Amino acid sequence: MSAPSDAMVEIRSVHKKFGSLEVLRGIDLAVRPGEVTVVIGPSGSGKSTLLRTINHLEKVDRGWISVDGTLVGYRRDGDKLYELREREVLRQRTKIGFVFQNFHLFPHLTVLENIIEAPVSALGRPRKAAVAAAEKLLERVGLLDKAAAYPAQLSGGQQQRVAIARALALEPRLLLFDEPTSALDPELVGEVLDVIKDLARGGTTMIVVTHEIGFAREVADTVVFMDEGRVVEQGPPADVLDHPVQERTRAFLSKVL
Amino acid sequence: MSLTSDPPVDPSAGPPTDPSAGPSAPPPADRCAAKGAGAGSETLTIVPARHPWRWAAIAATAVLLAQFLNGLITNPGWEWDVFARFFTAPTILKAVWVTLQLTVYGTVLGFALGIVLAFMRLSESRFLRAVAHGYIWAFRSIPLIVQLLFWFNLAYLYEELTFGIPFGPGFFAFDTMNLVGATSAAVLGLALHQAAYAAEIVRGGVLAVDRGQSEAAAALGIPRLRQLRRIVLPQAMRSILPNAANEIISLFKGTSIVSVMAIGELFYQVQVVYGRNGRVVPLLMVATVWYILLTTVLSVLQHYVERHYAKGAVR
């Protein structure tokens, strides 16, 4: 494999179809360790699908993705890629945190149980250690007092902060955010973005799909603009957001800014 | 007082004046008081609407109910003394026990097979889906009583049951007549029938859980079996339970069908007793009261089990 050693995430020529609809038409992307990559683009441009292929929630039709030097979802032998068994894919996912647009907290478990579930059942951590780590994470997202609450008793912003703590509990090498603030009331967006910014300053590698252009400008090392299943333009926020070269980028930005 | 001479109504002080009331409509006293008091409008009294016909319906129903209860007590045909003598008679208690056993075995085996069938129907394999679908189709189509009689006569079709390599040599052989006695034939019939319904209930429950739940569990790397046991099934239980309780209760009462196979369950035993002494009505009441009593116990159990699985749900 020709993965350059300094890339945390490498995406090569990824294609994906849903039925006859081509959602991804050959994506190439590299993310260096510690970098924040923000993916923007109109809805239907394939950015969420791309994010979901990175932890193999979505299988690719062509191309490959590697995280931390390891192929995701496949094993290479010669010039063939063999699909991994589910158990192996699940093990790979413990190194990749994923935060959903609609949080997807487990409603029948308390906040604390939500966070320790994966460390205990997927990594085999002792319950006590998992609880201690979970409490530290809850403190970090400012929700330690909600440890015993059920998700339905929290606001949307609080639920998303718990979901972020749940993803962090596996100590992932990479964090993926799929429109983390799109399901929130406007006044709750800030508290979630603050947590993500805090993580960015802490040097976590992450890829964030979002519509928050201001957030991209402030936090991103690289902004990627996608349209119709292709990467149209990428670079530092100052270039892509303020001096876009491509006409499609300009048209999109003029609508959202 | 006329409308035109009214002082302008403060919108926050009370309901707007209804112009259709006409100038001659006498103003309600309390509204006048409220206007006089100005800001004291929070003290307006609410008078609920009257429902004279509801009272008439209540009276009629009460009379009918009283007549019915009176009949229960005074009509000698009920023969309550015979009822009391047989209600806790050893032969009846033994029959109640058989009924309970049939229900428990039918439920446990039926739901065990039902869960397997449900996951076959949810499987990605077309073959497994088709087989499960076929099973459910067949067993829902055959009346329980017909099926029970088939199992009862299994020995007619297969005289011997052999365990061994499929289509190859056998290791053990059993005489079907001895292996599938009347009671096991009944349990088998009830369970296989129940499985078809249980499968659909479980499948419905699993489908009712948001896709995002198993997706989130998968994204966290939680092992497959644990995803089911810890994340999906507890949430599915919320919609499975009311339907499952219905099924268990109807299976409990459905065991009376087994009486056609001369198994000493409650209904069969009651028939035997009134066949002997001719006291049909009080003995039917013995069976009825037992069925009601045990169904009530099941309903109470259902309430507590449902409360357990409602954790985290805010209503």
Side-chain angles (χ1 to χ4, degrees):
Chain A
M1 205 166 46
S2 57
S5 54
D6 66 333
M8 167 66 85
V9 181
E10 185 159 39
I11 300 171
R12 270 293 164 82
S13 181
V14 162
H15 289 72
K16 172 77 187 174
K17 266 189 195 173
F18 289 127
S20 62
L21 182 70
E22 253 190 301
V23 191
L24 300 176
R25 311 174 181 214
I27 303 278
D28 290 286
L29 205 63
V31 175
R32 277 192 295 274
E35 260 193 5
V36 177
T37 301
V38 171
V39 183
I40 59 172
S43 46
S45 59
K47 49 195 196 309
S48 282
T49 306
L50 175 66
L51 200 69
R52 291 161 59 85
T53 59
I54 299 174
N55 74 344
H56 207 60
L57 278 180
E58 219 69 77
K59 289 175 193 172
V60 302
D61 297 335
R62 208 133 58 79
W64 51 263
I65 295 167
S66 79
V67 172
D68 213 6
T70 313
L71 276 176
V72 175
Y74 299 91
R75 179 174 52 82
R76 184 176 172 175
D77 192 359
D79 55 358
K80 280 203 177 108
L81 292 179
Y82 293 93
E83 194 178 354
L84 292 178
R85 291 219 311 254
E86 194 180 1
R87 190 142 46 106
E88 296 161 310
V89 176
L90 287 168
R91 202 176 308 135
Q92 289 189 330
R93 290 203 188 112
T94 61
K95 299 191 175 71
I96 307 170
F98 199 101
V99 175
F100 294 88
Q101 176 177 355
N102 294 311
F103 336 133
H104 294 327
L105 291 177
F106 307 129
H108 59 304
L109 305 180
T110 64
V111 165
L112 191 78
E113 288 168 337
N114 261 281
I115 298 174
I116 65 170
E117 177 58 33
V120 171
S121 70
L123 298 182
R125 297 249 170 91
R127 203 186 141 88
K128 245 193 194 151
V131 168
E135 282 170 347
K136 231 175 247 156
L137 286 169
L138 279 175
E139 199 170 1
R140 189 161 165 196
V141 299
L143 289 170
L144 189 53
D145 56 325
K146 299 288 186 194
Y150 285 98
Q153 295 164 322
L154 306 181
S155 74
Q158 290 172 329
Q159 290 189 47
Q160 193 60 299
R161 281 147 68 197
V162 171
I164 293 171
R166 181 174 72 172
L168 288 172
L170 291 163
E171 294 167 16
R173 310 267 313 173
L174 168 71
L175 268 179
L176 306 173
F177 292 87
D178 187 9
E179 303 197 24
T181 59
S182 295
L184 298 176
D185 290 338
E187 79 271 22
L188 303 176
V189 168
E191 63 185 70
V192 171
L193 290 184
D194 286 344
V195 169
I196 301 175
K197 284 179 203 166
D198 185 51
L199 290 170
R201 279 191 290 271
T204 314
T205 313
M206 42 198 199
I207 304 178
V208 186
V209 169
T210 187
H211 292 293
E212 301 283 335
I213 303 296
F215 169 82
R217 196 188 303 277
E218 191 180 339
V219 179
D221 296 299
T222 306
V223 172
V224 174
F225 174 70
M226 277 181 72
D227 194 18
E228 293 180 341
R230 289 199 180 85
V231 172
V232 175
E233 188 163 357
Q234 59 173 310
D239 293 354
V240 177
L241 297 177
D242 298 329
H243 307 288
V245 183
Q246 299 293 328
E247 182 49 44
R248 274 190 289 176
T249 317
R250 265 200 292 271
F252 173 75
L253 287 171
S254 73
K255 271 183 245 163
V256 296
L257 280 178
Chain B
M1 191 174 82
S2 75
L3 276 177
T4 45
S5 68
D6 268 356
V9 181
D10 177 3
S12 69
T17 319
D18 181 8
S20 67
S24 63
D30 52 2
R31 225 187 72 202
C32 274
K35 262 181 207 154
S41 56
E42 304 86 57
T43 59
L44 286 177
T45 332
I46 290 168
V47 181
R50 298 201 182 284
H51 303 280
W53 283 108
R54 189 185 296 167
W55 286 107
I58 287 171
T61 311
V63 168
L64 286 173
L65 192 63
Q67 274 187 310
F68 172 69
L69 291 175
N70 183 52
L72 271 187
I73 295 163
T74 57
N75 188 333
W78 293 107
E79 296 186 273
W80 290 110
D81 54 321
V82 179
F83 170 87
R85 190 142 38 85
F86 281 100
F87 187 64
T88 53
T91 72
I92 297 292
L93 289 183
K94 210 177 132 222
V96 169
W97 179 235
V98 173
T99 291
L100 281 175
Q101 277 177 312
L102 287 172
T103 309
V104 170
Y105 291 144
T107 302
V108 171
L109 292 175
F111 272 82
L113 179 57
I115 289 169
V116 173
L117 285 167
F119 283 102
M120 281 171 74
R121 269 207 83 178
L122 292 166
S123 146
E124 278 176 35
S125 153
R126 223 193 178 120
F127 178 73
L128 294 179
R129 277 205 312 265
V131 169
H133 202 166
Y135 178 96
I136 292 163
W137 165 77
F139 279 81
R140 283 201 307 201
S141 312
I142 308 169
L144 179 55
I145 191 161
V146 174
Q147 211 209 110
L148 285 170
L149 289 172
F150 259 116
W151 288 110
F152 196 54
N153 294 298
L154 189 65
Y156 176 76
L157 275 177
Y158 301 97
E159 272 180 47
E160 222 178 51
L161 287 182
T162 310
F163 287 85
I165 298 164
F167 303 110
F171 304 138
F172 313 102
F174 298 94
D175 197 0
T176 307
M177 219 31 162
N178 297 332
L179 189 72
V180 187
T183 312
S184 37
V187 168
L188 203 61
L190 290 172
L192 292 177
H193 172 81
Q194 198 53 51
Y197 291 89
E200 289 296 89
I201 291 173
V202 172
R203 187 172 71 96
V206 170
L207 287 179
V209 178
D210 181 15
R211 272 281 297 132
Q213 289 292 309
S214 42
E215 200 162 70
L220 286 164
I222 296 171
R224 184 93 179 97
L225 212 64
R226 175 88 179 173
Q227 288 181 28
L228 269 182
R229 240 191 37 234
R230 175 78 165 157
I231 308 298
V232 176
L233 281 182
Q235 295 184 62
M237 282 305 269
R238 293 213 62 202
S239 41
I240 289 175
L241 274 171
N243 295 322
N246 263 350
E247 278 303 312
I248 294 169
I249 286 169
S250 67
L251 175 66
F252 166 64
K253 290 178 299 182
T255 54
S256 56
I257 290 181
V258 168
S259 62
V260 298
M261 295 159 80
I263 292 167
E265 50 75 52
L266 184 55
F267 187 56
Y268 179 78
Q269 203 55 45
V270 161
Q271 284 176 302
V272 166
V273 175
Y274 71 59
R276 221 162 36 212
N277 67 8
R279 304 292 174 77
V280 178
V281 170
L283 275 152
L284 282 180
M285 274 314 276
V286 166
T288 304
V289 173
W290 271 115
Y291 283 124
I292 290 176
L293 222 79
L294 292 169
T295 302
T296 309
V297 171
L298 282 173
S299 304
V300 172
L301 275 176
Q302 177 192 0
H303 171 78
Y304 284 102
V305 177
E306 276 186 23
R307 209 170 60 173
H308 170 78
Y309 282 104
K311 269 192 306 186
V314 176
R315 274 276 165 93

